[in-house]
Every structure is written in structure tokens, then in C-alpha cells.
Amino acid sequence: MELAKCIYPFIKTSPEKTRPARLFATKVQELLKIGENWKPVVGLEVHAQISAKSKLFSGAGTSFGSPINSAVSFFDAAIPGTLPVLNKRCVEAGITTALALSCKINEVSHFDRKHYFYADLPAGYQITQQRKPLAVDGILHFNVFTPGIHKQPYPKHSKIKQLQLEQDSGRSLHDEETKRSLIDLNRAGLPLMELVFEPDLEDGEEAAALVKELCAILLRLGTCSCKMEEGAFRVDANVSVNRPGEPLGVRTEIKNIGSVRAVAAAVNFEIERQVLMLEDGLEVVNETRSWNTDTNKTVSMRDKEVKQDYRFMPEPNLPPLRVHLDSNLENKYNLIDVPFLKEQLPELPEESRRNLVEKYAIPRELVLVIVNEPTLLEIFSKVLNDRPNRSALVIAKVLVNSFLEVMNKNKINLDNCPITPEQFGEAIDLLETRKINLLVLKLVFEELLANPQSSPEKIVAERNWYQIVDEEELTKICQKILEENADAARKYKLGKKQIFNFFKKAIVKSTDQRADMKKAVEILKKLLQ
Ligand code: ADP
Ligand code: MG
């Protein structure tokens, strides 16, 4: 009680938006000792749009950003008399995903109608899989590691209750000017896989880590683009808290969280909100909430207390979906061959990580970053494949440090990174042959962003960015700096050792960052003796 009261005003008066949600989260978590007095429970539901050219039950296209209502078949608009035709690619993608997540595939699954009344659902029901989904009982292993919060990565897993195929609904657009609501049916009927996870997680960081790993797997399988900003990957988070040893608490559901960062922030906020309410003697109500990215808070959307009756019933226009679990069966015609799909599974991200650590002795922190970002992994693999004698460790370090830093600074989305693996490889060679140093390497990346047609060799030659390695030349540079700063040099010799950094900076500056700093430092030390 006491504690809650002293934190409430803190929440209310905290400047919204300016405070990073994560810092805020850990601060309150500390104050409330959530781990000791309260046990948070988090379970995720993920809607992943299956990468397929056409919709789940119709031939309409699926590309994002098509003109409004242009990718709509008669079936998607629920014109009477139209019938669903199941898209084989979607079933295969669902099975492939289920296999990668160690699910048990149901030999026979069923489609059901889930009824609700909303303008963006023209048929008045969604076709989904309720009674018998495509697959059940899977598991997802992942590592949780948020620098600044965790000292080192720790392993975690979440069981998967089921994986089902279902249709997406349309989209309502609310026009403020004309005060009208308009419907875009392009999304109606898009193929989705819904993955329902067991309530196995404990905080926002774990939820975000699960989402990241799931995305890495789906991207590897090619079954989902995982573009959250396009709505192709949507996360609902169920959150409850209870006192240790007591039964699970009442849960709320945060719908459609739009980014990995928001998953962590929304879950942490919701845990704290519930703890504060309970500490204050209030009750958590079972409701649906949404995450507001402007205020960094969850807000109530509608309460679920009256359980909605979806009137589930079998979909009469689709026969049971039967797949082949046994590769020796004859008469496979037109059936989904599960053992074949299993053989086709690519190397999964965790396997890649293990390989990178074992084969190249790259530190795991670097590997985690590289494997989680398909563009980085692609560059890494290509650059190394092109010339296997390049140092894997140097490539990895440059990718994660210099390269990523320049990309982030310039707000480049790595999916559209203009720097090619060939250009990156050439830059690495310049670094490894000591023609340039790490500082200049970053300038080269900057220059390539501005001028993608150019090449690292050309840039370095044109601007004379070659590293100064010549002993004599470096000595002259150092001597000059010491002469110009004779006073500082004297102080250094009298014991003010911090001044050394000042000299280093002066060398970097006077050589336009081109000096071989390792050598320069040696020379400088000698001169100062
Ligand atoms: P329903 O049938 O009401 O949809 P489910 O059992 O299917 O409920 O669970 C839906 C989601 O809610 C799952 O992702 C599950 O992990 C999560 N969940 C269930 N109970 C809790 C709880 N007490 N706290 C947090 N999450 C929960
Ligand atoms: Mg459910």
C-alpha cells in the first residue's frame, strides 16, 4: 500500500515520451521488487502473415501497398455463391513452420467459422482452425540478452500450444474530415498462421527476445516477411501477476503491438500497472488493452468480462485437411508430404550461431547480433565465401561495430542497405592490409552511402585516406605535436599522465584520422620518456 502510493505520483508526473520505457520499467521493478513479492506471467499470441502470392482461399494478390480495394476477389468480398479454395503453398508454409518449432502435425485438421459482426468482415465470420488446428505442442528456444539489463545471455523457452491457419480481416479507415468510416478489403482473406504460446514468460525482455527469435526463424524459413510495420507480424501479449505460490492472476490482453521494442515496453508497463493496482487493493479486470506509443502506456479498448460468443461451427465448404505423415504411402497425389518438407528444412538460426562460434571462434555476443539480422549474416557469409582467407573475426567485429554504427547513425534500414557484400569485402581487405585504419573505415562506409556506385579502393585513393604507417613520418608528426604543446609535455613528464590522451587526440586530428595509432602511441611514449 505504502509503496504503491509513493510510486503513483511518480508515474503520473513522469514526463511522457521523453523517458525511455525500459529505464522506467527497471526503475519501478526495482522499487517493487517484482521478483520477490509478485510473479508476472506472460503468454504471447502471434499472427504471422504467410508469405504467399495469393490469399488463403482466393486467387487475389497479397502485395503490400496495392491501391485500396484492388486485391479483392468475389470470395474475399463474401459475394454469395463463391467458395473457398485452399492455397497449397499456405499449408506447406504452415507445416514447415510447425516442423521448425518441433510441433506435432495433425494428420487431419479442420476449418471452423468464428462469427463476429464487424464492418471489415464481410462474411460475418472468419475461417480459422479452432477444434483441430494444423499443429500442436511445439517449443521455441531462445536467448534473452538486453545489454544494460542482463549481464549475460540466458536461455529460455516457451511451449507452443497450437499453430493454426486462418484468414485476416479487412481494414477500417476512419476519415476525420468527412466523419465517415471506409473499408479496405485488400487484407481480407490474407493467409495467417496464428501461434499460441503457453504462459511461460516473465517479463517484457523475455517476450521481446521470443519475438526476435521467432522472426529470425520465420525469415530463415521464408514463411513470413516479419515486417511488423506492414502488419505482417502482429503480437498480442497476455499479462497477469500473482503472489508466489498462489494461482495465476486475472489477465489482460494487449492487442496488436507494432514493434519488438514496443513488446518489451508494453509488457513491462502492464506488469507494473497490475502490481500497482493490486498493491493498492484494486482488482485487475480481464480486458483487452492497446499500447499507445505516444504516451508509453497501455489503455483499455474494451472489456472482455462478458465472454463473447463466437458461435464456432465447422466450415461446411472445406473438407477436412489431410496431410501425409508417412513418406512410404502411395497415392500421394496432391497431398502435402510432411517428411519431404522436413527434409527441406534449412539450417535454423541457433544452428548457425553454434556453427559460427565453433568454426570461427567469434564471441557469442557478436554472433547473436549477426544471426539476428539477415542482412548482416548475408554480408558475413558472402564476404567470407568470396575469399576464405579473410579473417572471420575481423569481418564480424567490423559488421557489428563500425558498420552497424554507421547504418544506425544514418537511419538506414538494413533491408535496403545500399552497401553490397563486394564493397564491404573490399573495405575489409583495405583494413586487413593496413592500408586504412578503423576510423577511416567508417568514413568509407559513410562515403559509400552517399555514393553507392563508387568503391572503397577508389574512395581511399581519391581522398588519399591511406593509413600513415611510415615510422619516420609518424615520428615527425609526434615531434611536431610535442613541440607545439611543450607545456603539456612538461606536465606529462612531471607525472600528469592523463595528458597522454590529449596527445593522442591531437595526432588523430592532425592526420585526419589517418595515423596508424598503435605505432603512433609507441613513438609518442618513446619521445616522452
Ligand atoms: P482463451 O481460450 O481464453 O483464448 P488460452 O488458454 O487460449 O485462452 O490462452 C490465450 C493466451 O493467453 C495464451 O497465449 C496463453 O499463454 C495466455 N494466458 C493464459 N492464461 C494466462 C495468464 N494467467 N497470464 C498470462 N497469460 C495467460
Ligand atoms: Mg485463444
Side-chain angles (χ1 to χ4, degrees):
M1 280 286 260
E2 281 300 285
L3 202 48
K5 282 210 192 86
C6 74
I7 291 167
Y8 250 132
F10 168 54
I11 286 191
K12 282 185 190 140
T13 56
S14 70
E16 287 162 3
K17 212 173 176 185
T18 51
R19 187 188 296 272
R22 197 184 278 148
L23 276 182
F24 177 57
T26 40
K27 180 137 197 179
V28 181
Q29 234 162 25
E30 243 171 54
L31 284 168
L32 285 175
K33 295 215 173 53
I34 283 179
E36 285 167 39
N37 301 329
W38 296 99
K39 190 176 171 302
V41 176
V42 182
L44 300 186
E45 291 168 284
V46 173
H47 287 92
Q49 183 184 330
I50 296 173
S51 302
K53 290 207 176 71
S54 55
K55 292 186 176 177
L56 185 54
F57 299 119
S58 83
T62 59
S63 53
F64 181 79
S66 307
I68 285 176
N69 285 317
S70 67
V72 188
S73 73
F74 286 130
F75 175 79
D76 305 320
I79 303 299
T82 55
L83 291 171
V85 179
L86 182 58
N87 181 341
K88 188 176 178 185
R89 151 77 192 158
C90 296
V91 181
E92 286 175 342
I95 301 262
T96 298
T97 306
L99 288 170
L101 297 169
S102 312
C103 291
K104 176 182 162 287
I105 311 288
N106 280 325
E107 189 165 13
V108 180
S109 61
H110 296 281
F111 289 98
D112 303 292
R113 291 182 177 182
K114 175 183 180 177
H115 293 81
Y116 60 95
F117 181 77
Y118 203 73
D120 60 22
L121 190 74
Y125 59 83
Q126 172 198 33
I127 304 181
T128 177
Q129 296 194 297
Q130 197 236 358
R131 291 162 302 154
K132 199 123 205 248
L134 193 66
V136 293
D137 293 341
I139 191 161
L140 174 57
H141 292 274
F142 54 97
N143 287 289
V144 191
F145 181 50
T146 318
I149 295 185
H150 308 114
K151 290 211 177 68
Q152 53 190 32
Y154 67 91
K156 182 83 192 175
H157 65 260
S158 181
K159 294 185 285 308
I160 296 164
K161 198 163 146 188
Q162 63 187 60
L163 184 156
Q164 72 210 33
L165 299 176
E166 63 185 36
Q167 303 169 290
D168 206 347
S169 59
R171 199 159 64 98
S172 310
L173 310 156
H174 304 291
D175 188 339
E176 279 301 315
E177 237 167 72
T178 59
K179 298 277 172 227
R180 286 191 312 172
S181 284
L182 305 162
I183 311 294
D184 177 9
L185 288 181
N186 281 355
R187 237 166 64 182
L190 283 184
L192 303 179
M193 330 179 235
E194 177 175 349
L195 293 116
V196 183
F197 288 87
E198 298 285 358
D200 291 334
L201 311 179
E202 282 177 39
D203 62 27
E205 281 69 41
E206 292 188 357
L210 182 155
V211 166
K212 272 198 228 158
E213 185 64 3
L214 181 59
C215 284
I217 293 172
L218 298 186
L219 284 173
R220 190 63 67 87
L221 298 173
T223 56
C224 176
S225 75
C226 295
K227 291 188 177 152
M228 292 180 90
E229 66 284 6
E230 292 183 2
F233 186 99
R234 312 196 286 268
V235 179
D236 303 341
N238 298 274
V239 178
S240 70
V241 298
N242 60 278
R243 295 210 180 254
E246 288 185 5
L248 296 188
V250 175
R251 70 173 206 248
T252 59
E253 180 176 15
I254 316 163
K255 276 272 182 212
N256 287 338
I257 310 174
S259 71
V260 177
R261 190 178 296 187
V263 169
V267 167
N268 283 336
F269 177 89
E270 189 56 21
I271 291 170
E272 286 141 24
R273 192 188 68 87
Q274 293 186 11
V275 168
L276 289 172
M277 287 190 58
L278 296 170
E279 294 252 351
D280 241 2
L282 302 170
E283 273 177 26
V284 173
V285 285
N286 177 214
E287 62 180 356
T288 306
R289 301 178 70 85
S290 68
W291 175 245
N292 185 322
T293 45
D294 290 329
T295 60
N296 275 339
K297 287 176 178 183
T298 63
V299 286
S300 180
M301 284 166 76
R302 52 174 187 264
D303 65 80
K304 244 191 179 178
E305 287 207 273
V306 206
K307 187 123 178 131
Q308 201 176 347
D309 180 6
Y310 291 119
R311 295 188 294 120
F312 279 104
M313 60 181 74
E315 164 60 52
N317 293 328
L318 286 164
L321 168 59
R322 190 177 287 277
V323 298
H324 249 301
L325 295 181
D326 183 350
S327 53
N328 295 322
L329 281 184
E330 286 166 26
N331 194 7
K332 285 198 225 181
Y333 177 70
N334 213 18
L335 281 186
I336 306 284
D337 187 343
V338 176
F340 175 75
L341 291 174
K342 194 164 187 174
E343 269 170 36
Q344 305 291 310
L345 281 182
E347 179 182 284
L348 294 178
E350 187 52 27
E351 247 176 296
S352 308
R353 288 185 202 112
R354 209 176 321 121
N355 286 344
L356 289 192
V357 171
E358 283 170 12
K359 195 164 163 198
Y360 301 114
I362 299 173
R364 199 168 159 87
E365 301 89 75
L366 297 182
V367 169
L368 287 178
V369 180
I370 293 174
V371 175
N372 271 10
E373 187 50 69
T375 307
L376 296 186
L377 186 60
E378 192 192 319
I379 295 178
F380 178 88
S381 310
K382 278 217 180 112
V383 168
L384 204 56
N385 274 346
D386 285 352
R387 275 203 211 153
N389 60 345
R390 283 170 174 155
S391 155
L393 185 60
V394 170
I395 298 172
K397 278 187 180 163
V398 169
L399 271 176
V400 175
N401 300 322
S402 321
F403 183 74
L404 215 49
E405 188 189 316
V406 173
M407 296 302 127
N408 290 340
K409 193 177 133 210
N410 289 282
K411 299 199 168 65
I412 302 286
N413 180 347
L414 284 176
D415 289 344
N416 313 314
C417 173
I419 297 178
T420 65
E422 288 70 30
Q423 290 170 325
F424 185 92
E426 204 177 294
I428 286 287
D429 294 342
L430 288 170
L431 181 76
E432 286 214 86
T433 51
R434 306 189 50 237
K435 285 196 180 131
I436 60 172
N437 64 20
L438 269 171
L439 294 170
V440 167
L441 182 66
K442 276 196 256 178
L443 297 181
V444 171
F445 289 144
E446 295 267 7
E447 194 57 35
L448 281 172
L449 287 181
N451 204 348
Q453 305 304 335
S454 192
S455 83
E457 299 226 11
K458 224 166 113 188
I459 291 170
V460 172
E462 272 172 14
R463 315 216 157 203
N464 187 21
W465 277 350
Y466 292 110
Q467 181 162 239
I468 305 172
V469 287
D470 184 67
E471 195 105 7
E472 229 171 275
E473 196 177 346
L474 284 172
T475 309
K476 268 188 204 147
I477 293 168
C478 291
Q479 275 165 341
K480 186 155 177 264
I481 282 171
L482 292 183
E483 276 161 25
E484 282 169 3
N485 301 282
D487 220 31
R490 212 175 20 254
K491 280 188 189 144
Y492 176 87
K493 284 179 189 156
L494 288 175
K496 261 201 144 185
K497 299 291 176 206
Q498 319 77 295
I499 292 182
F500 198 75
N501 268 338
F502 162 79
F503 295 129
K504 266 168 74 181
K505 276 187 199 143
I507 296 172
V508 170
K509 201 172 162 212
S510 76
T511 58
D512 284 333
Q513 318 192 30
R514 289 168 47 221
D516 177 339
M517 284 310 290
K518 210 173 144 203
K519 269 195 185 166
V521 163
E522 279 169 22
I523 294 170
L524 198 56
K525 277 189 182 154
K526 249 189 243 158
L527 290 175
L528 279 167
Q529 261 169 16

